[in-house]
């Protein structure tokens, strides 16, 4: 504190200005970052950005006026020599009613200028505009510690009942929300445990997902793309890795994706006698594939949408025997208690549905292996580790892990 006592007010002002400039300057270097709110890709995010700029400008005007008056007063009335030798430079008064009323009026005006558009934007982002309602698509996002489940309430997928008969069922995805481009998407927000917050910086955000309370927001993507999302409310030890992605696709591609999701799990045919002696499949690590892509950088994947499309295709070379072994292990190691894989007879609902899990961008072979091998290192304290691996004393040999990874990867 002594240091500050001896420094001049002007120095203090300069330091505060420099500190305030750091986030602004650093913001400029990251304007194109994957989670930058300065690069809106839809009407809701754009409205929110406009409101941010308006508030910034109003605050900047106030800052400049107050700063100028302060600097003027400090320079004009600064102590020269020994203060005791000088009388007060101005006559003291008990205030000037005109000045005070003007200041109150100016403050109210500034608040109104910010408040009116703020309220307008709150209503705008709350629900799809009336005129667009007929065109809106609806999904339900549910927060779990620590992942997002996306349900498509108006779609019906196919599965088989325990007798093998084909029946209809709902379907969901985990951590990847696929939406149609150019259409408003109403997202119902739910939580099964604690408060989470749904945030896709380039499309919209943030709205809390609360237990026992229905919330919603809407988003719309201008063009096809891949947008990073993040839980924005501290929700436990793995909050920081509670992320998700929004993939926006053109109408035809979106319909193709929906049709693919409706299908039961992909089945890799068991190997024939003739194939038994052939060498086993070699899996290229997905990281290698990504590095070979044009535009890939270490900071983030420059073309995540292309990578995602690539990920939808089944691998060229698969080890059918290993996949079949993985399918058996999925049941034997009690994975099926919590996970649904439509068509393979697994109907657990505590964890994410895995019917098409291999099509999710981050589920490359390396990452799936890392997750299955030591879930607690990926998401500390997660349910699969605590209530699965530990509670059921699940032990997996390296061969088991390999087989399970192959099975999951085959589920495109
Ligand atoms: Cu969920 Cu933070």
């Amino acid at each position: 504190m002594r240091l500050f006592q001896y420094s001049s007010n002007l120095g203090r002002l300069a330091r505060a200005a420099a500190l305030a400039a750091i986030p602004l300057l650093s913001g400029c270097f990251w304007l194109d970052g994957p989670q930058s709110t300065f690069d809106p890709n839809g009407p809701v995010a754009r409205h929110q950005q406009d409101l941010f700029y308006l508030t910034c400008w109003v605050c900047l005007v106030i800052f400049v006026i107050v700063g100028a008056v302060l600097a003027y007063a400090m320079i004009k009335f600064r102590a020269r020599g020994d203060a005791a030798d000088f009388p007060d430079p101005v006559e003291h008064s008990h205030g000037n009613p005109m000045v005070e009323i003007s200041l109150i009026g100016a403050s109210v005006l500034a608040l109104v200028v910010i408040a009116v558009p703020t309220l307008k934007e709150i209503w705008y982002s709350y629900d799809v505009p009336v005129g667009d309602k007929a065109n809106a698509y609806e999904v339900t996002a549910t927060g779990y510690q620590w992942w997002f489940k996306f349900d498509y309430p108006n779609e019906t997928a196919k599965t088989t009942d325990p007798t093998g008969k084909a029946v209809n069922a709902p379907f969901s995805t985990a951590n990847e929300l696929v939406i149609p481009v150019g259409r408003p998407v109403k997202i119902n927000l739910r939580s099964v445990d604690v408060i989470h917050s749904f945030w896709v910086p380039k499309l919209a955000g943030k709205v809390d997902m609360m237990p026992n309370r229905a919330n919603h927001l809407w988003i719309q993507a201008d063009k096809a793309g891949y947008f990073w999302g993040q839980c924005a409310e501290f929700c436990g030890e793995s909050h920081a890795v509670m992320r998700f992605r929004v993939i926006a696709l053109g109408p035809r591609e979106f319909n193709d994706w929906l049709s693919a999701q409706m299908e039961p799990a992909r089945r890799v045919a068991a190997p024939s006698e003739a194939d038994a002696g052939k060498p086993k499949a070699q899996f290229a690590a997905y990281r290698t594939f990504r590095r070979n892509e044009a535009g890939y950088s270490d900071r983030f994947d420059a073309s995540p949408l292309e990578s995602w499309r690539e990920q939808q295709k089944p691998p060229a070379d698969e080890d059918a025997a290993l996949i079949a072994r993985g399918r058996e292990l999925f049941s034997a190691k009690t994975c099926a208690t919590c996970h649904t894989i439509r068509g393979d007879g697994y109907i657990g609902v505590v964890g994410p549905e895995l019917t098409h899990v291999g099509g999710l961008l981050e589920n490359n072979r390396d990452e799936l292996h890392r997750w299955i091998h030591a879930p607690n290192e990926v998401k500390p304290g997660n349910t699969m580790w605590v209530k699965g691996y530990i509670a059921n004393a699940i032990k997996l040999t390296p061969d088991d892990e390999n087989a399970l990874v192959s099975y999951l990867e085959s589920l495109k």
Side-chain angles (χ1 to χ4, degrees), residues 31-106:
L31 285 184
D32 62 337
Q35 297 206 124
S36 170
T37 49
F38 290 95
D39 179 24
N41 275 254
V44 183
R46 220 165 9 251
H47 276 241
Q48 288 169 341
Q49 192 196 34
D50 291 347
L51 182 62
F52 170 80
Y53 278 133
L54 174 78
T55 314
C56 262
W57 284 119
V58 171
C59 293
L60 188 69
V61 169
I62 295 171
F63 174 78
V64 168
I65 293 172
V66 173
V69 172
L70 184 67
Y72 170 79
M74 281 192 306
I75 293 166
K76 183 156 175 18
F77 302 113
R78 71 185 185 279
R80 295 178 181 84
D82 192 346
D85 297 342
F86 298 93
D88 274 351
V90 288
E91 208 179 309
H92 283 241
S93 69
H94 290 286
N96 180 329
M98 271 314 287
V99 171
E100 279 166 18
I101 289 171
S102 313
L103 284 178
I104 291 171

Side-chain angles (χ1 to χ4, degrees), residues 48-345:
Q48 288 169 341
Q49 192 196 34
D50 291 347
L51 182 62
F52 170 80
Y53 278 133
L54 174 78
T55 314
C56 262
W57 284 119
V58 171
C59 293
L60 188 69
V61 169
I62 295 171
F63 174 78
V64 168
I65 293 172
V66 173
V69 172
L70 184 67
Y72 170 79
M74 281 192 306
I75 293 166
K76 183 156 175 18
F77 302 113
R78 71 185 185 279
R80 295 178 181 84
D82 192 346
D85 297 342
F86 298 93
D88 274 351
V90 288
E91 208 179 309
H92 283 241
S93 69
H94 290 286
N96 180 329
M98 271 314 287
V99 171
E100 279 166 18
I101 289 171
S102 313
L103 284 178
I104 291 171
S107 309
V108 169
L109 187 71
L111 285 177
V112 168
V113 167
I114 293 176
V116 170
T118 301
L119 287 172
K120 235 178 87 197
E121 296 310 339
I122 288 175
W123 277 308
Y124 178 77
S125 58
Y126 179 67
D127 206 350
V128 180
V130 177
D132 288 336
K133 276 222 158 77
N135 189 31
Y137 193 76
E138 189 179 350
V139 294
T140 299
T142 310
Y144 288 72
Q145 282 172 315
W146 291 275
W147 57 285
F148 290 88
K149 177 178 160 191
F150 298 110
D151 288 295
Y152 292 71
N154 300 319
E155 314 291 349
T156 342
K158 300 171 200 157
T159 185
T160 46
D161 72 2
T163 65
K165 203 177 94 198
V167 289
N168 289 333
F171 85 91
S172 65
T173 62
N175 295 336
E176 276 194 10
L177 170 62
V178 180
I179 60 167
V181 159
R183 275 175 75 182
V185 180
K186 180 178 175 176
I187 304 177
N188 305 309
L189 301 172
R190 309 283 184 265
S191 172
V192 296
D193 36 49
V194 299
I195 300 177
H196 304 275
S197 177
F198 184 93
W199 188 32
V200 199
K202 294 196 178 195
L203 296 179
K206 320 157 174 170
V207 177
D208 277 2
M209 315 169 91
M210 287 193 262
N212 299 321
R213 179 170 168 182
N215 245 350
H216 60 82
L217 86 167
W218 71 283
I219 59 175
Q220 182 174 322
D222 295 333
K223 53 184 192 320
Y226 192 92
F227 307 101
W228 280 257
Q230 167 77 47
C231 174
E233 177 80 46
F234 181 72
C235 55
E237 55 191 318
S238 283
H239 153 74
V241 286
M242 184 168 168
R243 293 170 303 188
F244 65 104
R245 310 285 182 262
V246 177
I247 296 112
L249 302 176
R252 181 172 302 176
E253 200 181 1
F254 178 70
N255 279 333
D256 289 349
W257 177 84
L258 268 184
S259 317
Q261 295 298 307
M262 306 296 177
E263 292 301 317
R266 178 173 166 265
R267 268 295 175 108
V268 176
S272 65
E273 296 280 326
D275 288 341
K278 285 190 181 166
K280 288 194 172 175
Q282 297 295 312
F283 291 95
Y286 191 62
R287 281 177 199 285
T288 322
F289 156 72
R290 227 161 67 140
R291 284 212 188 90
N292 288 337
E293 257 184 314
Y296 173 81
S297 78
D298 277 337
R299 208 171 95 204
F300 60 94
D301 195 337
S303 182
L305 185 61
E306 281 315 309
S307 304
W308 182 86
R309 286 184 176 126
E310 210 49 47
Q311 182 81 355
Q312 306 311 304
K313 300 171 192 161
D317 206 0
E318 294 182 298
D319 186 337
L322 201 59
I323 291 171
R325 167 101 181 104
R327 186 180 295 117
E328 282 164 25
L329 281 170
F330 195 82
S331 166
K333 296 291 179 184
T334 70
C335 313
T337 324
C338 296
H339 297 282
T340 287
I341 297 181
R342 274 181 287 119
D344 278 1

Side-chain angles (χ1 to χ4, degrees), residues 350-367:
V350 175
E353 172 175 343
L354 303 177
T355 308
H356 299 285
V357 69
L360 307 188
L361 181 57
E362 294 205 329
N363 294 338
N364 57 72
R365 196 170 173 80
D366 293 347
E367 292 300 324

Side-chain angles (χ1 to χ4, degrees), residues 5-20:
Q5 272 168 17
Y6 290 110
S7 64
S8 73
N9 280 342
L10 271 179
R12 212 179 295 181
L13 199 68
R15 248 198 319 276
L19 277 177

